[in-house]
Amino acid sequence: MPLPRRLVPLVLATAFPLMCGAALPDAHAYGRLPDRYVVSRALGVLPEGVDVRPDGTLYVSSDGTGALYRGRVTAPRLRAFHAEGALARGSSRGIHSDGAGRVFSVGAGRLTVHAPDGRLLASVDAPDGPLGAPDLNDLVVTADAVYVTDWANPVVLRASLHGGHVGPLEPWVDVRGAFPGFPDRYWLLNGIVADPEGRTVLVASNGTEAVWRIDAGTREVSRLDLGDASFGADGMVLHGRTLYAVLNYGAPAGVYIADLDADLRRGTVVHRITGERFDLPTTLARHDCRLYVVNSQNDEPPGTPPYTVTAVDDPECGTAR
Protein backbone atom coordinates (compact mmCIF):
# COMPACT_ATOMS: atom_id res chain seq x y z
CA MET A 1 0.00 0.00 0.00
CA PRO A 2 1.46 3.42 -0.90
CA LEU A 3 2.58 5.64 1.93
CA PRO A 4 0.22 8.43 2.99
CA ARG A 5 1.13 11.63 1.17
CA ARG A 6 2.41 13.31 4.33
CA LEU A 7 4.67 10.41 5.29
CA VAL A 8 6.57 10.18 2.01
CA PRO A 9 9.19 12.75 3.17
CA LEU A 10 10.01 10.59 6.21
CA VAL A 11 11.50 8.07 3.84
CA LEU A 12 13.11 10.70 1.65
CA ALA A 13 14.82 12.38 4.56
CA THR A 14 16.89 9.24 5.01
CA ALA A 15 17.42 8.48 1.35
CA PHE A 16 18.12 11.99 0.16
CA PRO A 17 19.43 14.28 2.94
CA LEU A 18 20.01 17.91 2.07
CA MET A 19 23.87 17.96 1.00
CA CYS A 20 -6.55 41.57 5.25
CA GLY A 21 -11.92 43.85 5.42
CA ALA A 22 -12.18 45.80 8.63
CA ALA A 23 -9.89 44.75 11.43
CA LEU A 24 -11.35 42.62 14.19
CA PRO A 25 -11.13 44.33 17.58
CA ASP A 26 -8.65 43.01 20.09
CA ALA A 27 -9.47 39.49 21.31
CA HIS A 28 -9.90 40.73 24.88
CA ALA A 29 -13.00 42.62 23.75
CA TYR A 30 -14.69 39.22 23.22
CA GLY A 31 -13.53 37.58 26.41
CA ARG A 32 -11.90 34.16 26.10
CA LEU A 33 -11.76 32.80 22.55
CA PRO A 34 -11.87 29.06 21.85
CA ASP A 35 -8.56 27.24 21.84
CA ARG A 36 -10.02 24.50 19.59
CA TYR A 37 -12.38 24.71 16.62
CA VAL A 38 -14.34 21.74 15.29
CA VAL A 39 -14.26 21.72 11.50
CA SER A 40 -16.44 18.63 11.03
CA ARG A 41 -17.53 15.41 12.70
CA ALA A 42 -18.11 13.60 9.38
CA LEU A 43 -15.75 10.69 8.79
CA GLY A 44 -12.94 11.27 6.28
CA VAL A 45 -12.88 15.07 6.09
CA LEU A 46 -9.12 15.38 6.79
CA PRO A 47 -8.79 19.18 7.00
CA GLU A 48 -5.81 20.70 5.22
CA GLY A 49 -5.78 24.46 4.58
CA VAL A 50 -6.84 27.43 6.69
CA ASP A 51 -7.38 31.15 6.21
CA VAL A 52 -8.56 33.84 8.64
CA ARG A 53 -9.83 37.10 7.22
CA PRO A 54 -9.28 40.48 8.95
CA ASP A 55 -12.90 40.45 10.15
CA GLY A 56 -12.42 37.10 11.91
CA THR A 57 -14.02 34.84 9.29
CA LEU A 58 -12.34 31.44 9.37
CA TYR A 59 -12.11 29.14 6.32
CA VAL A 60 -10.84 25.54 6.30
CA SER A 61 -10.48 23.14 3.36
CA SER A 62 -10.88 19.35 3.25
CA ASP A 63 -8.25 17.20 1.58
CA GLY A 64 -10.49 14.16 2.04
CA THR A 65 -13.65 15.39 0.31
CA GLY A 66 -12.94 18.73 -1.36
CA ALA A 67 -15.45 20.53 0.87
CA LEU A 68 -14.86 24.01 2.27
CA TYR A 69 -15.90 25.11 5.75
CA ARG A 70 -16.50 28.52 7.28
CA GLY A 71 -16.86 29.94 10.79
CA ARG A 72 -15.83 32.76 13.09
CA VAL A 73 -12.90 32.95 15.48
CA THR A 74 -15.43 33.72 18.23
CA ALA A 75 -17.33 30.42 17.81
CA PRO A 76 -15.95 26.88 18.29
CA ARG A 77 -17.83 25.21 15.42
CA LEU A 78 -17.48 25.65 11.66
CA ARG A 79 -20.20 24.95 9.10
CA ALA A 80 -20.11 23.80 5.49
CA PHE A 81 -19.42 26.66 3.09
CA HIS A 82 -21.56 25.86 0.06
CA ALA A 83 -18.99 26.65 -2.60
CA GLU A 84 -20.17 25.68 -6.09
CA GLY A 85 -18.08 22.91 -7.61
CA ALA A 86 -15.70 22.37 -4.70
CA LEU A 87 -16.84 18.81 -4.02
CA ALA A 88 -16.41 17.89 -7.68
CA ARG A 89 -12.67 18.49 -7.32
CA GLY A 90 -12.48 15.74 -4.69
CA SER A 91 -9.71 17.41 -2.69
CA SER A 92 -9.16 20.96 -1.48
CA ARG A 93 -5.84 21.93 0.08
CA GLY A 94 -4.52 25.49 0.05
CA ILE A 95 -7.15 28.16 0.74
CA HIS A 96 -6.75 31.94 0.94
CA SER A 97 -8.96 34.98 0.52
CA ASP A 98 -8.17 38.38 -0.96
CA GLY A 99 -9.06 41.93 0.05
CA ALA A 100 -12.38 41.72 -1.80
CA GLY A 101 -13.42 38.63 0.15
CA ARG A 102 -13.01 36.22 -2.75
CA VAL A 103 -11.99 32.71 -1.67
CA PHE A 104 -9.21 31.07 -3.67
CA SER A 105 -8.53 27.36 -3.21
CA VAL A 106 -6.59 24.60 -4.96
CA GLY A 107 -6.65 20.83 -5.06
CA ALA A 108 -6.12 18.00 -7.52
CA GLY A 109 -5.45 19.92 -10.76
CA ARG A 110 -7.74 22.93 -10.30
CA LEU A 111 -7.74 26.47 -8.92
CA THR A 112 -11.18 27.85 -8.02
CA VAL A 113 -12.34 31.27 -6.91
CA HIS A 114 -15.60 31.73 -5.00
CA ALA A 115 -17.57 34.77 -3.94
CA PRO A 116 -18.40 35.12 -0.21
CA ASP A 117 -21.87 33.74 -0.97
CA GLY A 118 -20.39 30.58 -2.54
CA ARG A 119 -20.90 31.48 -6.20
CA LEU A 120 -18.18 30.10 -8.46
CA LEU A 121 -16.36 33.05 -10.03
CA ALA A 122 -13.53 31.22 -11.77
CA SER A 123 -12.26 27.69 -12.32
CA VAL A 124 -8.82 27.20 -13.85
CA ASP A 125 -7.21 23.85 -14.60
CA ALA A 126 -3.46 23.41 -14.34
CA PRO A 127 -1.49 21.89 -17.21
CA ASP A 128 0.50 18.70 -16.85
CA GLY A 129 4.00 19.24 -15.50
CA PRO A 130 7.32 17.70 -16.54
CA LEU A 131 6.55 14.58 -14.50
CA GLY A 132 2.87 14.23 -15.37
CA ALA A 133 -0.53 15.24 -14.00
CA PRO A 134 -0.59 18.13 -11.51
CA ASP A 135 -1.40 17.75 -7.82
CA LEU A 136 -1.86 21.32 -6.61
CA ASN A 137 -0.98 21.92 -3.00
CA ASP A 138 -0.92 25.55 -1.86
CA LEU A 139 -1.23 29.09 -3.15
CA VAL A 140 -0.53 32.71 -2.37
CA VAL A 141 -2.48 35.69 -3.74
CA THR A 142 -0.64 38.94 -4.55
CA ALA A 143 -1.88 42.17 -6.11
CA ASP A 144 -1.42 40.92 -9.67
CA ALA A 145 -1.09 37.14 -9.54
CA VAL A 146 -1.83 33.83 -7.88
CA TYR A 147 1.18 31.55 -7.35
CA VAL A 148 0.53 27.82 -6.86
CA THR A 149 2.74 24.90 -5.85
CA ASP A 150 2.49 21.45 -7.43
CA TRP A 151 3.17 18.52 -5.11
CA ALA A 152 3.69 16.13 -8.05
CA ASN A 153 5.92 18.36 -10.20
CA PRO A 154 8.92 20.57 -9.29
CA VAL A 155 7.16 23.60 -10.75
CA VAL A 156 5.55 26.77 -9.39
CA LEU A 157 2.55 27.90 -11.46
CA ARG A 158 1.26 31.44 -11.91
CA ALA A 159 -2.10 32.89 -12.94
CA SER A 160 -2.37 36.61 -13.58
CA LEU A 161 -4.98 38.78 -11.82
CA HIS A 162 -6.33 41.76 -13.70
CA GLY A 163 -9.54 43.65 -13.04
CA GLY A 164 -11.02 40.71 -11.16
CA HIS A 165 -10.18 38.30 -14.00
CA VAL A 166 -8.05 35.22 -13.31
CA GLY A 167 -5.81 34.21 -16.17
CA PRO A 168 -4.70 30.69 -17.10
CA LEU A 169 -2.40 28.74 -14.80
CA GLU A 170 0.98 28.59 -16.49
CA PRO A 171 4.37 27.17 -15.49
CA TRP A 172 6.33 30.02 -13.93
CA VAL A 173 9.47 28.56 -12.31
CA ASP A 174 11.00 25.10 -12.56
CA VAL A 175 12.96 24.83 -9.30
CA ARG A 176 15.19 21.89 -10.21
CA GLY A 177 18.09 24.04 -11.31
CA ALA A 178 18.57 25.34 -7.77
CA PHE A 179 19.60 21.87 -6.52
CA PRO A 180 21.17 19.93 -9.41
CA GLY A 181 21.13 16.18 -9.00
CA PHE A 182 18.27 16.02 -6.54
CA PRO A 183 15.67 13.52 -7.79
CA ASP A 184 12.98 15.37 -9.76
CA ARG A 185 10.02 13.47 -8.29
CA TYR A 186 11.00 14.16 -4.68
CA TRP A 187 10.92 17.95 -4.57
CA LEU A 188 7.36 17.75 -3.16
CA LEU A 189 6.55 21.46 -3.26
CA ASN A 190 4.20 22.56 -0.53
CA GLY A 191 3.61 25.86 1.29
CA ILE A 192 4.10 29.17 -0.51
CA VAL A 193 4.12 32.81 0.66
CA ALA A 194 5.11 36.19 -0.78
CA ASP A 195 6.04 39.62 0.49
CA PRO A 196 3.30 42.30 0.22
CA GLU A 197 4.82 43.78 -2.94
CA GLY A 198 5.01 40.40 -4.65
CA ARG A 199 8.73 40.79 -5.27
CA THR A 200 9.84 37.70 -3.37
CA VAL A 201 8.18 34.29 -3.17
CA LEU A 202 9.16 31.62 -0.62
CA VAL A 203 8.37 27.99 -1.40
CA ALA A 204 8.62 25.03 0.98
CA SER A 205 9.95 21.74 -0.35
CA ASN A 206 9.25 18.70 1.81
CA GLY A 207 11.67 16.53 -0.11
CA THR A 208 14.69 18.81 0.16
CA GLU A 209 13.75 19.77 3.75
CA ALA A 210 14.27 23.43 2.89
CA VAL A 211 12.52 26.66 1.92
CA TRP A 212 13.47 28.17 -1.43
CA ARG A 213 13.49 31.88 -2.30
CA ILE A 214 12.35 33.02 -5.75
CA ASP A 215 13.01 36.53 -7.02
CA ALA A 216 9.77 37.35 -8.84
CA GLY A 217 11.54 39.68 -11.27
CA THR A 218 14.41 37.43 -12.35
CA ARG A 219 12.90 34.07 -11.31
CA GLU A 220 16.22 33.20 -9.69
CA VAL A 221 15.88 30.41 -7.12
CA SER A 222 18.10 30.16 -4.04
CA ARG A 223 17.86 28.41 -0.68
CA LEU A 224 16.59 30.42 2.28
CA ASP A 225 19.40 30.10 4.82
CA LEU A 226 17.92 29.01 8.16
CA GLY A 227 20.99 27.24 9.48
CA ASP A 228 21.68 23.54 9.55
CA ALA A 229 18.38 22.31 10.97
CA SER A 230 15.84 20.50 8.81
CA PHE A 231 13.17 22.97 7.70
CA GLY A 232 10.94 21.04 5.33
CA ALA A 233 7.88 23.14 6.05
CA ASP A 234 4.35 22.23 5.13
CA GLY A 235 2.17 25.37 5.27
CA MET A 236 3.65 28.81 5.93
CA VAL A 237 2.67 32.40 6.76
CA LEU A 238 4.86 35.45 6.16
CA HIS A 239 4.08 38.48 8.34
CA GLY A 240 6.53 41.28 7.76
CA ARG A 241 9.92 39.63 8.24
CA THR A 242 8.58 36.83 10.42
CA LEU A 243 8.10 33.41 8.83
CA TYR A 244 5.66 31.06 10.54
CA ALA A 245 5.86 27.44 9.39
CA VAL A 246 4.29 24.12 10.27
CA LEU A 247 6.65 21.16 10.35
CA ASN A 248 5.36 17.61 10.62
CA TYR A 249 8.46 15.49 9.94
CA GLY A 250 12.20 15.81 10.41
CA ALA A 251 11.56 17.58 13.72
CA PRO A 252 8.87 17.48 16.42
CA ALA A 253 5.55 18.42 14.80
CA GLY A 254 4.34 21.93 15.42
CA VAL A 255 4.87 25.59 14.62
CA TYR A 256 8.36 26.98 13.96
CA ILE A 257 8.92 30.73 13.79
CA ALA A 258 11.91 32.38 12.14
CA ASP A 259 13.05 36.00 12.05
CA LEU A 260 14.29 36.84 8.54
CA ASP A 261 16.57 39.57 7.25
CA ALA A 262 15.28 42.49 5.17
CA ASP A 263 15.96 40.67 1.86
CA LEU A 264 14.29 37.43 2.98
CA ARG A 265 17.49 35.54 2.24
CA ARG A 266 18.43 34.21 5.68
CA GLY A 267 17.00 33.94 9.14
CA THR A 268 17.04 32.35 12.57
CA VAL A 269 14.46 30.09 14.18
CA VAL A 270 13.42 31.86 17.38
CA HIS A 271 10.37 29.89 18.56
CA ARG A 272 9.18 26.28 18.46
CA ILE A 273 5.64 25.39 19.56
CA THR A 274 5.16 21.62 19.74
CA GLY A 275 3.31 19.07 21.83
CA GLU A 276 0.27 16.84 22.02
CA ARG A 277 -2.15 19.66 21.20
CA PHE A 278 -1.36 19.03 17.50
CA ASP A 279 -2.45 16.00 15.43
CA LEU A 280 -0.33 15.96 12.26
CA PRO A 281 -0.56 19.73 11.72
CA THR A 282 -0.40 20.81 8.10
CA THR A 283 -0.65 24.59 7.95
CA LEU A 284 -1.64 27.70 9.85
CA ALA A 285 -3.09 31.20 9.68
CA ARG A 286 -2.24 34.23 11.80
CA HIS A 287 -4.83 36.63 13.17
CA ASP A 288 -4.96 39.07 16.07
CA CYS A 289 -1.99 37.70 18.05
CA ARG A 290 -3.11 34.09 17.59
CA LEU A 291 -2.06 31.24 15.31
CA TYR A 292 -4.69 28.85 13.93
CA VAL A 293 -3.17 25.42 13.21
CA VAL A 294 -4.92 22.66 11.23
CA ASN A 295 -4.88 19.14 12.71
CA SER A 296 -5.12 17.09 9.53
CA GLN A 297 -4.94 13.47 10.78
CA ASN A 298 -3.68 12.87 7.26
CA ASP A 299 -1.14 10.28 8.42
CA GLU A 300 -3.93 7.79 9.22
CA PRO A 301 -6.82 8.39 6.81
CA PRO A 302 -9.73 8.59 7.33
CA GLY A 303 -8.65 9.77 10.78
CA THR A 304 -10.94 9.98 13.79
CA PRO A 305 -13.58 12.72 14.05
CA PRO A 306 -13.84 15.39 15.17
CA TYR A 307 -11.38 17.16 12.87
CA THR A 308 -10.08 20.32 14.46
CA VAL A 309 -8.07 23.52 14.33
CA THR A 310 -5.97 24.44 17.37
CA ALA A 311 -5.40 28.09 18.33
CA VAL A 312 -2.24 29.15 20.17
CA ASP A 313 -0.84 32.52 21.18
CA ASP A 314 1.63 34.13 18.78
CA PRO A 315 4.88 34.60 20.73
CA GLU A 316 5.99 37.22 18.20
CA CYS A 317 2.94 39.42 18.75
CA GLY A 318 3.96 43.04 19.32
CA THR A 319 7.43 42.48 17.87
CA ALA A 320 7.99 45.05 15.13
CA ARG A 321 10.06 43.72 12.23
Side-chain angles (χ1 to χ4, degrees):
M1 186 176 76
L3 288 172
R5 184 170 62 90
R6 296 293 175 189
L7 294 188
V8 172
L10 285 169
V11 178
L12 302 182
T14 301
F16 304 106
L18 180 64
M19 300 178 228
C20 284
L24 185 71
D26 186 270
H28 297 295
Y30 293 94
R32 181 174 176 82
L33 293 175
D35 57 12
R36 190 180 82 145
Y37 297 82
V38 174
V39 178
S40 176
R41 298 183 184 276
L43 184 65
V45 165
L46 301 173
E48 173 82 9
V50 62
D51 179 72
V52 182
R53 290 192 47 73
D55 68 357
T57 301
L58 175 67
Y59 288 99
V60 175
S61 62
S62 166
D63 189 14
T65 68
L68 304 180
Y69 296 85
R70 182 166 63 185
R72 298 281 299 175
V73 297
T74 52
R77 179 70 186 272
L78 281 69
R79 305 290 181 186
F81 173 51
H82 298 291
E84 292 178 354
L87 288 173
R89 184 167 54 198
S91 171
S92 294
R93 293 179 185 157
I95 183 168
H96 292 285
S97 59
D98 67 2
R102 296 181 298 175
V103 181
F104 294 71
S105 61
V106 295
R110 181 169 297 167
L111 162 70
T112 58
V113 186
H114 289 91
D117 63 3
R119 286 179 298 117
L120 181 63
L121 301 177
S123 179
V124 184
D125 288 332
D128 285 353
L131 306 183
D135 187 11
L136 304 185
N137 197 298
D138 203 359
L139 73 157
V140 63
V141 183
T142 68
D144 62 356
V146 183
Y147 297 93
V148 180
T149 54
D150 186 343
W151 173 263
N153 291 278
V155 174
V156 178
L157 304 166
R158 182 183 187 274
S160 63
L161 293 177
H162 181 70
H165 175 73
V166 182
L169 270 173
E170 299 175 328
W172 181 61
V173 171
D174 187 320
V175 297
R176 290 176 290 182
F179 195 3
F182 190 81
D184 294 354
R185 61 184 289 202
Y186 295 136
W187 271 88
L188 306 176
L189 299 185
N190 212 318
I192 183 169
V193 294
D195 66 343
E197 296 78 20
R199 293 188 300 232
T200 302
V201 177
L202 301 179
V203 178
S205 163
N206 284 174
T208 63
E209 295 192 37
V211 175
W212 299 85
R213 179 189 188 276
I214 304 176
D215 184 302
T218 65
R219 305 190 195 184
E220 177 186 5
V221 184
S222 58
R223 184 188 175 194
L224 175 65
D225 183 359
L226 292 170
D228 296 331
S230 167
F231 208 89
D234 200 329
M236 303 189 295
V237 167
L238 182 64
H239 180 70
R241 287 162 49 194
T242 302
L243 180 66
Y244 301 81
V246 168
L247 272 66
N248 48 37
Y249 72 93
V255 177
Y256 289 66
I257 304 173
D259 287 343
L260 307 185
D261 66 3
D263 293 328
L264 308 183
R265 294 184 180 277
R266 59 186 55 85
T268 302
V269 177
V270 293
H271 299 285
R272 297 170 176 84
I273 307 171
T274 62
E276 295 182 356
R277 74 189 91 183
F278 303 127
D279 191 349
L280 196 80
T282 48
T283 191
L284 77 167
R286 180 188 182 276
H287 176 72
D288 197 29
C289 291
R290 302 220 303 169
L291 305 175
Y292 295 80
V293 184
V294 175
N295 298 305
S296 74
Q297 301 189 42
N298 222 339
D299 53 341
E300 297 181 351
T304 303
Y307 305 98
T308 63
V309 170
T310 296
V312 298
D313 290 337
D314 178 4
E316 285 284 286
C317 190
T319 303
R321 286 184 60 82

